[in-house]
Amino acid sequence: MRKDRTIRELYRDDPERADALVFGRRGLLKGASLAAMGAAVGGAIPFAGNMPSGLLPAALAQGAAVPGPKLLKMDGKAELAVLGDRPLVAETPEHLLDDDVTPTEKFFIRNNGQIPEPTANPDAWELTIDGEVNTPLKLTLGDLRKRFQAVTYRLQLECGGNGRSFFSPQASGNQWTNGGVGNAEWTGVRLKDVLQAAGLKPSAVYTGHYATDPHLSGDASRIALSRGVPIAKAMEEHTLLAFAMNGKPLLPIHGFPLRVVAPGYPGSASSKWVTRIQVRDREHDGPGMTGTSYRVPTVPMVPGSKPDPKTFAVLQSMPVRSIITNVRNGTELADGTRKVALRGHAWAGEETVKAVDVTLDFGQTWQSCQLDAPPNKYCWQNWRTELALPSAGYFEFWVRATDSKGRMQPVLAANWNPQGYGGNAMHRVAVLVKA
Ligand SMILES: Nc1nc2c(c(=O)[nH]1)N[C@H]1C(S)=C(S)[C@@H](COP(=O)(O)O)O[C@H]1N2
Ligand SMILES: [Mo]
């Protein structure tokens, strides 16, 4: 090992060797290794004895210690972390997600194709409803507003790949941390009301969504993304054809003038710039619905092995997740700090969150947090607590949520799959209190 190689570099290049050097055979930090780790994180580690072997300290794994992401420069948008330029994908760092309702400027961006030109005449925007319906409809946005009741809900929208960067070995796709999520106030009409106006045939089982964003290749015969949802999901009262976000018309980048919002499902089902909802007599098979796209194994697979798409099923509800939003990873707290207020949000796809707990000793003991009920279904839930620190030093705050069915977030991303969906490892935030 080169002397000037940092622990972080070593972990990146050869994690097993780094682990052996730092933790030794027994998985306990001691002697020179403990001193090296302390030096790397900037202070003594009071709970070093509980540090799990193989877990790179949060201070080194993410945030301030890692080369900064490229920042988004776009009118009306905050400096989000750009994960890709073509197509444009940007996530919101956890500390920018502190608001109860995510301001539009802070809302993450995920495109699969090119960004379409905004229409000059939104009221004339046409939506076709066809397929397994009694009366195919062609409605303008003006008609939708006139004929159907408008409703407003706070709904979380989360990319199916949120948390992907925590899979090992690396899963393919944009390397989201925890910021492929937002909780906006959406206004629109219920998809259910529109489908009922068309009249569903008994053969209706799924929707297929089509939009105007050109394929990345520029080939007009190719479709960037066409996803859908089971009819029961389409008929839920919170599944919307939305034309406003946080009280204003949608921004072009978020689907102006009309998009689907199917909360609790992978964000890809929430088609932006939507022009057609085709009602299908089988599971939709558009681009983004087949193979290993937005599908996860129904039987666990060996991480990194070759997938058998026949054992895969469409990812429906997103899993439970929580974030700390008021303390940023890598924060130095004032000398003598012994109390830290923590808060954030938790959500669980189609379920609700029943508990949120935090630990400051690498998971040895957990403290339960105060958790609010959501004002409406599919709104994320706020939580808060206060932690007492026993001394100065390096601490990690970990948060974990449990959903209404008793499923809890894992420490590390579980159920590995080639495209890295549903990775809901606990959010970890490192802080340093100077002695
Ligand atoms: N037409 C269209 N709709 C789309 C997409 C897309 O590429 N094209 N991306 C989807 C994905 S993968 C996600 S996660 C959400 C993101 O919505 P946002 O960019 O408004 O945050 O939009 C979905 N709707
Ligand atoms: Mo997504």
Side-chain angles (χ1 to χ4, degrees):
M1 169 170 131
R2 258 174 38 222
K3 276 233 180 68
D4 57 355
R5 211 163 170 202
T6 64
I7 287 186
R8 191 170 69 76
E9 283 167 335
L10 186 61
Y11 261 99
R12 188 194 53 209
D13 299 341
D14 188 352
E16 277 173 38
R17 183 165 155 71
D19 216 42
L21 279 172
V22 171
F23 289 95
R25 283 267 160 72
R26 297 215 185 96
L28 262 190
L29 272 176
K30 50 187 185 303
S33 307
L34 180 56
M37 179 71 90
V41 300
I45 310 174
F47 293 111
N50 304 336
M51 267 179 114
S53 173
L55 196 63
L56 180 54
L60 308 181
Q62 27 169 315
V66 183
K70 192 178 140 193
L71 300 180
L72 182 70
K73 303 279 177 228
M74 184 188 275
D75 277 353
K77 296 297 292 185
E79 292 191 324
L80 305 181
V82 175
L83 302 181
D85 287 310
R86 249 189 83 80
L88 178 65
V89 180
E91 73 170 333
T92 316
E94 296 92 343
H95 69 274
L96 291 185
L97 287 172
D98 195 40
D99 308 84
D100 294 356
V101 176
T102 310
T104 304
E105 59 158 22
K106 295 180 183 168
F107 206 90
F108 79 101
I109 295 171
R110 165 65 163 132
N111 297 308
N112 289 265
Q114 300 182 42
I115 303 165
E117 276 300 311
T119 173
N121 190 355
D123 277 351
W125 182 267
E126 276 185 345
L127 174 71
T128 299
I129 308 285
D130 62 2
E132 306 301 307
V133 293
N134 298 322
T135 319
L137 299 175
K138 198 169 261 221
L139 299 161
T140 64
L141 176 48
D143 297 333
L144 286 177
R145 289 176 186 274
K146 254 181 264 143
R147 282 185 55 182
F148 303 97
Q149 183 202 349
V151 291
T152 299
Y153 295 116
R154 294 182 181 183
L155 306 170
Q156 40 92 2
L157 189 71
E158 181 175 23
C159 184
N162 200 23
R164 179 178 290 138
S165 65
F166 305 120
F167 280 104
S168 178
Q170 186 172 326
S172 65
N174 299 289
Q175 295 300 303
W176 301 98
T177 66
N178 288 305
V181 68
N183 187 63
E185 206 159 70
W186 303 96
T187 301
V189 300
R190 293 189 174 103
L191 176 55
K192 152 179 166 266
D193 292 348
V194 179
L195 292 178
Q196 270 167 353
L200 290 176
K201 290 188 175 165
S203 50
V205 302
Y206 225 90
T207 60
H209 310 162
Y210 292 89
T212 57
D213 46 333
H215 191 270
L216 265 194
S217 64
D219 180 343
S221 69
R222 294 177 70 185
I223 290 170
L225 181 76
S226 176
R227 302 252 306 140
V229 295
I231 282 298
K233 182 69 184 172
M235 298 300 283
E236 272 190 20
E237 66 172 306
H238 296 93
T239 300
L240 306 182
L241 286 163
F243 44 75
M245 181 179 184
N246 296 329
K248 299 235 173 70
L250 299 175
L251 283 188
I253 197 69
H254 293 300
F256 175 79
L258 189 67
R259 77 176 298 169
V260 175
V261 178
Y265 264 47
S268 50
S270 294
S271 183
K272 305 192 270 191
W273 315 291
V274 65
T275 51
R276 178 183 177 204
I277 307 272
Q278 182 191 17
V279 179
R280 306 288 315 263
D281 63 0
R282 65 198 70 182
E283 191 175 276
H284 186 48
D285 50 7
M289 293 293 304
T290 55
T292 57
S293 280
Y294 297 103
R295 298 168 82 91
V296 288
T298 50
V299 285
M301 59 185 292
V302 175
S305 65
K306 200 168 168 292
D308 174 5
K310 284 197 295 294
T311 66
F312 279 50
V314 174
L315 173 60
Q316 299 198 328
S317 176
M318 290 295 289
V320 63
R321 189 191 301 275
S322 54
I323 50 172
I324 297 168
T325 58
N326 70 319
V327 177
R328 190 176 176 171
N329 188 40
T331 298
E332 277 193 23
L333 300 173
D335 295 8
T337 302
R338 293 294 179 269
K339 272 188 180 152
V340 182
L342 282 187
R343 65 169 181 268
H345 314 292
W347 61 98
E350 299 208 283
E351 308 301 326
T352 51
V353 175
K354 77 168 183 198
V356 174
D357 304 281
V358 293
T359 180
L360 52 57
D361 56 13
F362 303 103
Q364 191 91 344
T365 58
W366 292 87
Q367 174 172 318
S368 74
C369 303
Q370 193 188 4
L371 174 67
D372 296 343
N376 59 251
K377 193 172 178 194
Y378 298 114
C379 176
W380 66 19
Q381 294 167 247
N382 302 329
W383 62 265
R384 65 198 68 76
T385 196
E386 189 176 82
L387 279 175
L389 305 181
S391 64
Y394 172 88
F395 297 94
E396 290 190 13
F397 304 146
W398 298 0
V399 63
R400 70 172 190 207
T402 306
D403 76 12
S404 45
K405 291 192 168 153
R407 294 171 298 198
M408 185 188 283
Q409 290 179 259
V411 179
L412 300 173
N415 197 27
W416 190 92
N417 59 96
Q419 291 186 242
Y421 300 114
N424 63 340
M426 295 176 199
H427 182 206
R428 300 155 54 202
V429 168
V431 299
L432 191 65
V433 184
K434 282 267 154 71

